[in-house]
Amino acid sequence: MNLFEKTKPYPITKEQVWDAFKLVKSKGGSPGVDGTTVTDIARSPKKYLYPVWNRLASGSYFPAPVRRKEITKSGGKVRALGIPTVADRVAQMVIKKELEDIVEERFHESSFGYRPGKNAHQAIIQAKQNCWKYAWVIDMDIKGFFDNIDHGLMIRALRHVTEREHIITYVKRWMKAPIQTKEGSLVTNLQKGTPQGGVISPLLANIFLHFAFDKWIEREFPNCPFERYADDIIVHAKTKEEAVLVLERINVRMQKCKLELHPAKTKIVYCPSNKRKTPKGEGQQFDFLGFTFRPRKVVTRSGRITMGFLPGISTKSMKRIVDHLNSMKINRWSNKSLIDLSTALSPLIRGWLQYYGKVSKYGLVTLFFRVNARITKWAYRKFRRFKRIKSLYATKKWIQLVAKSYRYLFPHWQIGFLP
């Protein structure tokens, strides 16, 4: 740190800003309201990053409006994201890294979302283990969590973990930053909400729920383990009576924190197994992080068939993948070769295998049956000999021969999901 930096009121260095930019650059992303891209800043870092450091270190930094972007969810619903400018993402990354170093060791071991060394697979594996130990699950859904975080309670939680005034000052400014709609008008909310899409938003969510939920349930119900990934939460209980009581108390707790559980999406689920007598009329499945937990047949090492309560790719995840495949219109790629098809599909397939296949193989047979079906339809339209005889059966036989001889073409072929 040079002498000039020491004269600034806030202890932020140019090195912090540069390191933050490198992280933002590695994640990519679209520009904000000013249209400045990551590439623009990489070409002229002094032009863009010096003002970020100067304003952060002097206390004169104020964020630009956040660009509102709507993405379509399953069922036709829309989720609103807030996209800060790239310069603001760099500023958020500076504060995020500093704040993360302070709070990370405080977080609960069952909080898995957006934390160094933690991931969704760990949450799924722990949930699977707890579903074997505990007969009941509370599947929680906090209604519009990011849109409803109370600013006053958020700052109160923040002051519990740090007294660094520059962190608190900038968090306040980010939460109150106006949102620019696609029509160009500005919407200002001074009371609640932190836009999804901001670099620091997941960390703020973890801090808020650390006090609003994690520490509270550990204190009030120490015998009820849970898994939390940001605002996706499931809680385990031994009996239905305990689950009902815990859910009632959670409802009260969320209301005190100015949040609300979604009445239609929050439910109590029974986790059946061979060792438990299944009560009639109880729900026996729930979704968590793209997986559906439900009763499934398990073959033991001795060859005996038993019943387990296990995760597999969810119906929603399957539909999202199939919709994406349909949007690609692979069957119309008559001008492309099988190598071209492999180049386009292989990164997607690897991603599905790495996420869904790492924890569970349930549902992957169906998924890759559908992928293979689209490759077969591509071949049917590509080669005249198949169209001439109008035989999908003959096309499938040809694709099967290709798959046996050239398994390396597609990642799922390599591990046995053949046509």
Side-chain angles (χ1 to χ4, degrees):
M1 185 184 294
N2 61 36
L3 182 61
F4 181 60
E5 289 179 353
K6 288 181 181 179
T7 64
K8 297 288 186 179
Y10 290 156
I12 295 171
T13 68
K14 294 176 183 177
E15 287 75 17
Q16 283 177 276
V17 174
W18 178 244
D19 290 342
F21 171 68
K22 288 190 286 186
L23 287 171
V24 170
K25 182 182 177 183
S26 69
K27 296 177 185 298
S30 56
V33 295
D34 63 354
T36 303
T37 65
V38 171
T39 303
D40 293 333
I41 295 180
R43 286 173 180 164
S44 304
K46 187 175 181 180
K47 173 183 175 181
Y48 292 100
L49 297 182
Y50 179 83
V52 173
W53 165 75
N54 190 35
R55 291 166 187 164
L56 280 175
S58 65
S60 62
Y61 165 80
F62 283 86
V66 174
R67 180 170 64 87
R68 182 185 176 94
K69 180 180 179 182
E70 295 182 346
I71 58 172
T72 304
K73 297 170 59 179
S74 58
K77 295 181 180 179
V78 174
R79 171 180 290 170
L81 298 181
I83 311 298
T85 65
V86 179
D88 286 336
R89 297 208 291 273
V90 172
Q92 288 191 24
M93 185 66 78
V94 170
I95 301 301
K96 180 203 168 190
K97 297 303 292 181
E98 183 179 352
L99 183 55
E100 199 170 59
D101 290 341
I102 297 169
V103 301
E104 177 56 32
E105 64 181 13
R106 295 170 177 250
F107 286 151
H108 197 282
E109 61 181 8
S110 291
S111 168
F112 295 93
Y114 307 102
R115 294 180 58 194
K118 295 277 193 175
N119 58 53
H121 290 138
Q122 294 169 339
I124 294 293
I125 291 169
Q126 181 174 301
K128 180 173 71 172
Q129 293 168 346
N130 280 329
C131 284
W132 283 74
K133 298 175 184 176
Y134 296 80
W136 298 87
V137 159
I138 302 166
D139 179 17
M140 289 175 53
D141 185 278
I142 302 176
K143 193 174 181 179
F145 172 69
F146 283 91
D147 295 333
N148 290 301
I149 293 178
D150 181 80
H151 289 181
L153 292 178
M154 181 69 253
I155 297 303
R156 183 177 168 186
L158 199 57
R159 288 192 183 278
H160 273 288
V161 298
T162 182
E163 296 178 353
R164 298 181 187 180
E165 203 57 43
H166 65 285
I167 292 179
I168 295 167
T169 296
Y170 291 138
V171 168
K172 285 180 180 178
R173 292 177 187 177
W174 284 316
M175 289 194 300
K176 294 178 181 179
I179 298 172
Q180 185 179 85
T181 66
K182 59 182 178 181
E183 292 81 18
S185 59
L186 294 180
V187 179
T188 303
N189 186 349
L190 302 178
Q191 301 299 325
K192 63 180 183 178
T194 176
Q196 284 182 271
V199 170
I200 203 167
S201 293
L203 180 57
L204 296 181
N206 274 337
I207 293 171
F208 190 94
L209 285 173
H210 174 72
F211 293 104
F213 181 80
D214 299 356
K215 297 294 289 182
W216 173 84
I217 198 165
E218 183 182 47
R219 181 178 66 252
E220 298 294 324
F221 298 99
N223 296 321
C224 292
F226 68 92
E227 290 81 38
R228 182 173 69 79
Y229 193 97
D231 61 325
D232 288 332
I233 310 170
I234 55 174
V235 182
H236 304 268
K238 288 287 187 182
T239 66
K240 184 175 183 180
E241 291 74 21
E242 184 179 45
V244 170
L245 172 64
V246 173
L247 180 54
E248 288 176 353
R249 294 282 301 278
I250 290 173
N251 256 312
V252 174
R253 176 63 177 175
M254 290 297 107
Q255 289 169 12
K256 286 183 177 179
C257 296
K258 300 185 181 182
L259 295 172
E260 179 186 356
L261 295 184
H262 197 297
K265 295 181 180 179
T266 299
K267 58 183 182 290
I268 294 174
V269 175
Y270 179 71
C271 308
S273 74
N274 280 350
K275 297 179 180 180
R276 303 174 189 143
K277 184 178 180 181
T278 304
K280 293 181 180 180
E282 300 291 349
Q284 297 182 22
Q285 71 174 48
F286 66 89
D287 285 0
F288 185 53
L289 301 179
F291 290 83
T292 294
F293 284 73
R294 66 174 178 82
R296 303 178 193 271
K297 290 181 180 178
V298 180
V299 180
T300 64
R301 291 180 180 177
S302 62
R304 187 170 63 90
I305 296 177
T306 184
M307 183 65 70
F309 194 81
L310 298 167
I313 182 172
S314 71
T315 302
K316 286 183 180 179
S317 299
M318 184 78 76
K319 184 180 184 304
R320 186 180 68 252
I321 291 171
V322 171
D323 287 346
H324 183 65
L325 287 171
N326 290 341
S327 71
M328 294 177 73
K329 296 181 171 57
I330 296 166
N331 59 313
R332 297 184 184 178
W333 294 9
S334 300
N335 62 329
K336 304 291 185 181
S337 68
L338 194 56
I339 298 294
D340 294 329
L341 223 65
S342 170
T343 301
L345 289 178
S346 290
L348 296 173
I349 294 169
R350 285 192 198 96
W352 301 330
L353 283 171
Q354 287 169 4
Y355 187 74
Y356 298 105
K358 189 170 183 178
V359 173
S360 170
K361 296 294 189 293
Y362 289 105
L364 293 186
V365 171
T366 302
L367 171 60
F368 292 121
F369 171 83
R370 296 186 178 189
V371 174
N372 289 331
R374 279 153 182 78
I375 296 172
T376 301
K377 287 181 181 178
W378 165 84
Y380 178 78
R381 293 193 62 167
K382 168 76 175 177
F383 300 107
R384 293 180 180 177
R385 65 180 183 272
F386 298 131
K387 291 180 70 175
R388 189 166 53 246
I389 62 176
K390 297 181 179 180
S391 175
L392 270 173
Y393 176 77
T395 314
K396 185 176 180 180
K397 286 294 182 183
W398 179 78
I399 286 291
Q400 287 173 342
L401 290 173
V402 171
K404 288 179 181 178
S405 301
Y406 303 96
R407 288 196 176 200
Y408 64 86
L409 278 173
F410 295 96
H412 65 295
W413 287 3
Q414 296 173 25
I415 60 173
F417 291 104
L418 298 172

